[in-house]
């Protein structure tokens, strides 16, 4: 089952554009002692910005009926502001185009990655801290006769690092007769063939871009015939075409039952969170340079960095960034499975209990191992990792590496994988109590995606690998 999607100029052009932008802009990012910061201070045991805005670092303690969460405590990012992650989109020559921002972030691998047209907190776009105006923000704050909202949802952030954080993911479709806005040189329109390559390449699309692209209507990006149309028979793309158009007869459980399953898990979990001082955390230490674990469990730390970046809203600043001790792993596993009408491609979904979810549980990728986490106690996840490693019962269709959003994380990376299990492989999912794994068609995933708090940020990131076949 092979698929060839070739647009050889896209990657070379992007890399040339990225190099050109970086050559024009001074950028440095280096660690400093907490005491050297002129903008951040420990106040009541919490690391805060002097204005009280942006975000803060605190401790979080969780009590729950589930052992994954009960008694857990760790360092956490608090950022109650809802940021806007918004794309301008248009249709030209029968395919979609997206306006990307070449965004420099202190923690990005490769420094500059492609971000949404607008990626901004309320404090930034309202210029509460004296920064420059946010380009194109007006398209997402005001009703406009020249654009139509086609996607506008609240979606969660990484719950192993954030507590209760949601962003507004939005796409505005420009009407055909509307004039294209003038572009600063850090912005660029890229089309479907470009996105197909970027989606499976390391550290080009940032995680916020992946999140919005995964959730938006794919019909806007695809050809006029629709997503995955025109696929060669017996290819993976043809399987995606059928799974994307699957009906209720192809589902192992109805949409209502899948959401009822998630609700039952949330009731069983019933997490109770309490924000505490960092010095109340039993396994965490604050020294001159780091907030770190005494005995390694979660595998990450926080450090203070001094940053200078031309072209940003503010040219120089310092801030804390989360730095993990290893690379995480996000594997989306699929399998062609028999149905009463033949067969259909299904994806293995894990219900993941994470400390930062307000709800306690969200749907996640089949294998979800956070950066810095060395092992998993989930026997099904262990078996899946072994199968992928042996490659005798599976094939890895796509693999790339992606750093987490560089405004809060320093070179924090996950390996993204799209893996096809051989059709004869059976995974005993009922070994988990309660059941935390289920199979879904792509059509069912897409129907449930608009419900806020259903699919994790990491799931949306790895799902973006499918854009390669769109």
């Amino acid at each position: 089952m092979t698929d060839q999607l070739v647009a050889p100029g896209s990657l070379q052009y992007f890399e040339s554009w990225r190099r050109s932008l970086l050559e024009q802009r001074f950028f440095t990012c280096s660690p400093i002692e907490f005491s050297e910061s002129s903008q951040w201070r420990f106040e009541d045991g919490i690391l805060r910005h002097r204005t009280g805005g942006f975000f803060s670092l605190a401790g979080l303690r969780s009590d729950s009926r589930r052992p994954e969460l009960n008694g857990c405590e760790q360092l956490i990012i608090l950022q109650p502001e809802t940021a806007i992650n918004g794309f301008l989109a248009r249709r030209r020559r029968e395919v979609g185009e997206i306006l990307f921002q070449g965004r420099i972030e202190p923690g990005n691998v490769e420094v500059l990655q492609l971000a949404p047209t607008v990626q901004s907190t309320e404090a930034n776009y309202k210029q509460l801290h004296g920064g420059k105006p946010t380009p194109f923000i007006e398209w997402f704050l005001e009703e406009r006769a020249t654009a139509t909202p086609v996607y506008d949802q609240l979606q969660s952030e990484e719950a192993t690092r954030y507590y209760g954080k949601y962003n507004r993911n939005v796409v505005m479709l420009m009407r055909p007769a509307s004039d294209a806005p003038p572009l600063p040189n850090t912005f660029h329109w890229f089309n479907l063939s470009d996105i197909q390559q970027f989606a499976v390449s390391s550290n080009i699309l940032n995680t916020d871009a992946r999140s919005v692209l995964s959730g938006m209507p794919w019909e806007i990006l695809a050809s006029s015939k629709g997503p995955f149309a025109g696929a060669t028979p017996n290819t993976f793309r043809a399987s995606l075409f059928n799974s994307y158009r699957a009906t209720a007869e192809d589902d192992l459980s109805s949409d209502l039952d899948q959401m009822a399953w998630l609700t039952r898990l949330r009731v069983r979990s019933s997490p109770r969170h309490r924000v505490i001082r960092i010095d109340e955390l039993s396994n965490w230490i604050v020294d001159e340079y780091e907030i770190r674990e005494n005995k390694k469990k979660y595998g990450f730390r926080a450090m203070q960095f001094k940053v200078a970046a031309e072209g940003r809203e503010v040219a120089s600043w310092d801030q804390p960034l989360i730095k993990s001790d290893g690379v995480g792993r996000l594997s989306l596993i699929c399998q062609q499975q028999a149905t009463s009408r033949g067969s259909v491609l299904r994806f293995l979904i894990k219900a993941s209990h994470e400390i930062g979810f307000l709800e306690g549980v969200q749907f996640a990728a089949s294998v979800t191992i956070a950066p810095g986490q060395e092992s998993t106690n989930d026997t099904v996840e262990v078996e899946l990792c072994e199968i992928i490693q042996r490659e005798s019962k599976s094939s890895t269709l796509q693999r790339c590496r992606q750093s987490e959003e560089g405004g809060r994380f320093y070179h924090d990376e996950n390996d993204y994988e799209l893996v096809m299990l051989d059709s004869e492989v059976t995974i005993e999912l009922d070994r988990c109590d309660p059941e935390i794994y289920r199979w879904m068609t792509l059509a069912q995933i897409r129907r449930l995606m608009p419900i806020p708090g259903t699919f994790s940020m990491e799931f949306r990131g790895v799902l973006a690998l499918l854009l390669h076949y769109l």
Side-chain angles (χ1 to χ4, degrees):
M1 190 176 284
T2 60
D3 299 84
Q4 296 295 324
L5 297 172
V6 179
S10 300
L11 291 178
Q12 294 92 324
Y13 177 83
F14 168 76
E15 292 295 352
S16 175
W17 181 64
R18 175 158 61 182
R19 284 194 303 272
S20 174
L21 291 178
L22 292 176
E23 287 170 359
Q24 299 169 28
R25 283 166 172 76
F26 179 76
F27 172 81
T28 62
C29 180
S30 55
I32 60 174
E33 295 185 14
F34 289 114
S35 62
E36 295 180 71
S37 173
S38 60
Q39 300 169 328
W40 294 76
R41 59 175 178 259
F42 287 94
E43 187 178 87
D44 299 325
I46 295 175
L47 185 59
R48 307 178 192 271
H49 191 262
R50 57 179 173 78
T51 63
F54 292 109
F55 65 99
S56 57
L57 296 182
L60 186 66
R61 183 172 291 155
S62 172
D63 294 310
S64 172
R65 297 176 185 174
R66 289 297 303 162
E68 298 96 327
L69 296 177
N70 191 44
C72 292
E73 57 175 42
Q74 66 170 74
L75 187 70
I76 206 78
I77 303 172
L78 301 179
Q79 188 175 348
E81 270 190 315
T82 299
I84 292 177
N85 293 326
F87 274 119
L88 286 181
R90 65 187 183 188
R91 296 279 300 179
R92 295 184 71 199
R93 303 181 187 92
E94 300 300 317
V95 296
E97 292 187 338
I98 298 287
L99 182 58
F100 286 91
Q101 172 189 174
R103 188 172 178 87
I104 292 174
E105 293 282 13
N108 278 349
V109 173
E110 305 293 351
V111 182
L112 182 147
Q113 295 182 15
L114 291 177
T117 315
V118 167
Q119 181 181 313
S120 180
T121 64
E122 185 177 9
N124 277 342
Y125 66 72
K126 289 186 175 180
Q127 298 174 263
L128 298 183
H129 309 299
K132 298 177 184 177
T134 300
F136 307 110
I137 186 62
E138 65 276 6
W139 289 80
F140 302 93
L141 298 179
E142 308 164 2
E143 289 189 11
R144 303 178 69 90
T146 54
T148 303
V150 291
Y151 177 63
D152 200 338
Q153 297 168 3
L154 288 177
Q155 295 287 4
S156 59
E157 278 271 14
E158 296 94 333
T160 61
R161 304 292 191 261
Y162 284 95
Y163 173 51
K165 177 74 169 71
Y166 275 79
N167 293 320
R168 179 189 172 207
N169 287 1
V170 55
V171 176
M172 300 294 294
L173 180 63
M174 297 172 60
R175 296 180 184 171
S178 61
D179 294 329
L183 300 183
N185 68 347
T186 52
F187 288 77
H188 200 292
W189 290 97
F190 288 106
N191 64 21
L192 174 62
S193 63
D194 302 321
I195 295 168
Q196 285 175 326
Q197 286 206 70
F198 298 160
V200 294
S201 300
S202 296
N203 292 310
I204 292 182
L205 296 177
N206 80 357
T207 50
D208 290 302
R210 286 178 172 274
S211 174
V212 182
L213 292 171
S214 288
M216 71 177 286
W218 287 351
E219 288 76 10
I220 292 170
L221 292 173
S223 71
S224 57
K225 295 180 181 179
F228 312 110
T232 303
N234 300 317
T235 62
F236 180 67
R237 190 164 182 255
S239 297
L240 287 172
F241 177 85
N242 294 328
S243 188
Y244 186 81
R245 289 161 177 77
T247 66
E249 293 178 272
D250 298 311
D251 295 329
L252 295 174
S253 301
S254 68
D255 294 358
L256 180 60
D257 183 61
Q258 300 286 29
M259 293 307 299
W261 165 49
L262 185 60
T263 300
R264 290 194 297 272
L265 290 174
R266 288 172 173 173
V267 171
R268 290 182 182 184
S269 177
S270 298
R272 296 171 298 283
H273 301 100
R274 186 159 65 94
V275 176
I276 60 176
R277 298 166 56 102
I278 295 173
D279 55 17
E280 290 183 66
L281 293 169
S282 59
N283 190 40
W284 292 77
I285 298 169
V286 180
D287 63 23
E288 293 87 352
Y289 282 98
E290 297 180 333
I291 306 171
R292 58 181 173 83
E293 295 178 286
N294 183 35
K295 183 179 180 181
K296 185 173 179 179
K297 180 178 181 182
Y298 298 107
F300 72 94
R301 64 199 64 213
M303 301 172 63
Q304 195 76 9
F305 289 82
K306 186 174 181 60
V307 186
E310 292 183 30
R312 288 291 304 268
E313 296 92 338
V314 177
S316 63
W317 68 96
D318 68 76
Q319 68 169 94
L321 293 170
I322 299 295
K323 185 178 187 301
S324 295
D325 298 335
V327 177
R329 185 173 190 175
L330 298 170
S331 303
L332 184 58
I333 291 174
C334 57
Q335 187 179 48
Q336 197 74 24
Q337 297 180 345
T339 70
S340 59
R341 301 185 302 163
S343 67
V344 69
L345 185 71
R346 295 192 179 107
F347 295 82
L348 186 59
I349 308 300
K350 177 181 181 178
S352 183
H353 297 75
E354 297 175 20
I355 192 171
F357 288 142
L358 293 175
E359 313 87 351
V361 189
Q362 291 187 15
F363 293 148
S366 323
V367 173
T368 300
I369 301 174
Q373 183 181 340
E374 290 186 337
S375 61
T376 174
N377 295 322
D378 181 338
T379 56
V380 172
E381 198 165 58
V382 170
E383 180 183 2
L384 292 171
C385 289
E386 290 175 350
I387 288 174
I388 296 171
Q389 183 175 358
R390 288 198 304 265
E391 296 184 343
S392 58
K393 301 179 180 178
S394 68
S395 55
T396 300
L397 305 177
Q398 298 294 339
R399 179 181 287 131
C400 66
R401 182 166 287 188
Q402 175 63 47
S403 62
E404 293 297 326
E405 200 276 311
R408 300 293 178 267
F409 304 92
Y410 185 77
H411 293 187
D412 245 32
E413 292 185 293
N414 280 299
D415 282 330
Y416 286 24
E417 297 174 312
L418 177 61
V419 178
M420 173 76 87
L421 285 186
D422 292 352
S423 56
E424 71 274 9
V425 174
T426 300
I427 305 295
E428 297 179 8
L429 304 180
D430 56 1
R431 284 177 289 166
C432 298
D433 182 28
E435 172 193 18
I436 60 170
Y437 287 92
R438 284 195 176 183
W439 293 95
M440 295 185 191
T441 63
L442 184 54
Q444 187 166 57
I445 291 169
R446 297 289 300 171
R447 290 195 302 269
L448 299 180
M449 183 76 75
I451 304 172
T454 299
F455 288 97
S456 72
M457 178 77 164
E458 292 87 343
F459 178 87
R460 297 191 301 275
V462 72
L463 186 71
L465 292 174
L466 300 186
L467 296 173
H468 177 70
Y469 304 93
L470 200 60

